[in-house]
Amino acid sequence: MALSRVPHPRPPAEQRDGARCEDPVRRWYERELGWPVAPGAGPGAAVRLVTGVRFDVLRLPAEAGFATLRHLGPYAPVALHGTAMGLFVAAGSAEELPGLLDWLEWGGVPLDLTAIGSGGLIAAPTPPGLAGSRGAAVWLRPPEPGREVEAGLPSLTSLPARAPRTAARARDGSGTDPRSGSAAGSDLGRLVDAAATQCHRVRLRRASDQPLAFS
């Protein structure tokens, strides 16, 4: 009489779920970097990075971003996704951006410069050495496993009392220059000022490339 083969016992449900979720991209971010991640919006969707915990991200046109990179420290990660660039900055920077732009006299100027902070999500760039899908976010300057990312991120130092703008612009150089010894004196201040300048130049250049409309 033939004996029926007894099937091997199935692993616990949590182990089966863990095996399905063992995505190499997610594993690199969670295990190698210790960064919080979130699943994609649907089945097969790319992993996303949670902002506002260990970093925030300044988002700007890639054309402006490339011109801004020299103002960024050597260990601050930089991501590229299509025509947009993401500059990684200290957590909490997103909340400071509006006030910082006002301080730097960019308030009210149309800029394609935004910040993603607490509660935000960005597409996780493909880790180095892995093949990403077409159109996926990529690292222009990837983070280094084993290095705490916070130490290399631009941050906003404490701000002194605001000096009158007239005194700041004294021709003899006296007074307080709003672009030194103030918010602009921090790494984040210099970076935001440079990014805003380049974003403005890109907008002006694109506007000048538009054909004239004649009635």
Side-chain angles (χ1 to χ4, degrees), residues 29-202:
Y29 283 107
E30 289 186 327
R31 297 186 182 178
E32 297 295 328
L33 299 179
W35 289 9
V37 301
V47 171
R48 295 177 292 177
L49 302 180
V50 179
T51 57
V53 179
R54 300 194 61 180
F55 51 79
D56 287 353
V57 177
L58 292 182
R59 184 179 175 88
L60 69 167
E63 183 180 354
F66 280 110
T68 306
L69 287 181
R70 65 188 180 91
H71 298 277
L72 192 65
Y75 299 113
V78 179
L80 197 63
H81 194 184
T83 60
M85 183 178 291
L87 309 179
F88 283 56
V89 294
S93 299
E95 298 177 2
E96 302 289 350
L97 183 62
L100 188 52
L101 288 172
D102 286 340
W103 178 280
L104 296 168
E105 299 185 335
W106 286 108
V109 179
L111 300 169
D112 295 324
L113 177 63
T114 58
I116 307 170
S118 180
L121 297 168
I122 63 168
T126 304
L130 295 181
S133 59
R134 185 179 181 86
V138 297
W139 282 116
L140 186 63
R141 184 193 292 173
E144 298 181 16
R147 177 185 291 275
E148 292 297 323
V149 67
E150 292 87 349
L153 298 180
S155 61
L156 185 63
T157 57
S158 59
L159 301 181
R162 298 193 179 192
R165 293 298 189 184
T166 53
R169 292 174 176 172
R171 293 184 178 181
D172 62 358
S174 62
T176 302
D177 185 347
R179 297 176 188 271
S180 70
S182 66
S186 68
D187 291 340
L188 182 64
R190 287 191 292 268
L191 177 64
V192 168
D193 194 27
T197 299
Q198 297 303 328
C199 286
H200 186 54
R201 288 175 178 173
V202 168

